[in-house]
Amino acid sequence: MLKPLRLFTLAGCLGMFTIATAIPLRLAIALQQNPHPQAILMLSGDSSRAKFTREMAQEFPDLPIWVSVGDPEIRSILGGLDNQGLQGDDRIQYDNRATDTVTNFTTMVAPLQQNNIRHVYLVTSDYHMPRSQAIATIVFGSHGIAFTPVPVPSQSSRREARPRIARDIGRSVLWLVTGRTGASYNPRLQSARGNSRS
């Protein structure tokens, strides 16, 4: 008879193996069924991302644009695109629920699925792309949403630290298993909430 610790370890290994094999398979199926991106997804940050997305949107007038967290400056730069390209509903959809890079992806899964979007152009800064791709592989890949990375050139020489990427991979797996990202434990968010109450 297996002891509880061994059983827990075996279950964990089996779960990780399932995740590691299921995600690449779901991504491959999504890419085969939708070889061309069906939308542009921009992660907010500096204004260069919005300027780049604006140019890209003019190149692909039939693609809707999804923006994860659109502050007033971003909205100003992207203004006017609603009237270009797609007929009917607004071309740009803003989703302001995200509080960090992991939640940029976890909050977008449901809206993309509801709109039958299975492949997106992923637009973010070049230095931010490795972490974004790692998260997207787990979060989007587990839900059959493929992505084509489009890094925005930046003047920054900084690179994402490996521990930060590893942390967000762990948070993405946590979300996959529990539905929670751990974002509520972010000290910056805790202090912002405390300040808003006073």
Side-chain angles (χ1 to χ4, degrees), residues 61-140:
D62 294 334
L63 295 183
I65 302 159
W66 291 79
V67 179
S68 182
V69 186
D71 61 32
E73 181 183 13
I74 299 293
R75 288 174 185 258
S76 173
I77 293 168
L78 295 176
L81 288 176
D82 279 333
N83 301 324
Q84 300 173 10
L86 296 175
Q87 306 271 328
D89 293 339
D90 290 339
R91 183 175 184 195
I92 305 176
Q93 301 296 321
Y94 294 95
D95 189 301
N96 291 319
R97 294 174 293 161
T99 56
D100 56 31
T101 304
V102 174
T103 56
N104 278 145
F105 292 97
T106 59
T107 58
M108 291 306 302
V109 168
L112 293 176
Q113 286 182 325
Q114 289 164 4
N115 286 274
N116 295 316
I117 296 172
R118 300 294 181 196
H119 188 175
V120 297
Y121 282 117
L122 173 59
V123 179
T124 192
S125 302
D126 51 8
Y127 64 84
H128 189 241
M129 189 58 80
R131 184 159 57 111
S132 298
Q133 282 184 268
I135 297 165
T137 298
I138 296 167
V139 174
F140 280 2

Side-chain angles (χ1 to χ4, degrees), residues 1-184:
M1 186 167 183
L2 289 174
K3 293 183 180 178
L5 182 59
R6 285 187 182 169
L7 187 60
F8 181 74
T9 303
L10 180 63
C13 290
L14 185 60
M16 291 306 292
F17 175 77
T18 303
I19 290 170
T21 54
I23 289 174
L25 181 61
R26 292 202 74 178
L27 279 171
I29 291 169
L31 279 171
Q32 184 178 18
Q33 292 175 344
N34 303 286
H36 304 289
Q38 302 163 292
I40 298 168
L41 171 62
M42 185 196 91
L43 307 185
S44 274
D46 59 63
S47 61
S48 63
R49 295 179 194 176
K51 292 172 184 171
F52 187 93
T53 298
R54 183 177 179 83
E55 292 172 15
M56 191 172 174
Q58 291 168 340
E59 186 178 338
F60 298 101
D62 294 334
L63 295 183
I65 302 159
W66 291 79
V67 179
S68 182
V69 186
D71 61 32
E73 181 183 13
I74 299 293
R75 288 174 185 258
S76 173
I77 293 168
L78 295 176
L81 288 176
D82 279 333
N83 301 324
Q84 300 173 10
L86 296 175
Q87 306 271 328
D89 293 339
D90 290 339
R91 183 175 184 195
I92 305 176
Q93 301 296 321
Y94 294 95
D95 189 301
N96 291 319
R97 294 174 293 161
T99 56
D100 56 31
T101 304
V102 174
T103 56
N104 278 145
F105 292 97
T106 59
T107 58
M108 291 306 302
V109 168
L112 293 176
Q113 286 182 325
Q114 289 164 4
N115 286 274
N116 295 316
I117 296 172
R118 300 294 181 196
H119 188 175
V120 297
Y121 282 117
L122 173 59
V123 179
T124 192
S125 302
D126 51 8
Y127 64 84
H128 189 241
M129 189 58 80
R131 184 159 57 111
S132 298
Q133 282 184 268
I135 297 165
T137 298
I138 296 167
V139 174
F140 280 2
S142 65
H143 287 78
I145 301 171
F147 62 93
T148 297
V150 183
V152 178
S154 68
Q155 304 299 322
S156 177
S157 59
R158 70 181 183 174
R159 299 183 69 150
E160 295 274 341
R162 287 185 182 180
R164 196 172 190 188
I165 295 171
R167 177 203 65 197
D168 283 354
I169 288 172
R171 288 182 57 210
S172 299
V173 171
L174 176 69
W175 174 79
L176 196 58
V177 174
T178 68
R180 299 188 155 289
T181 64
S184 61

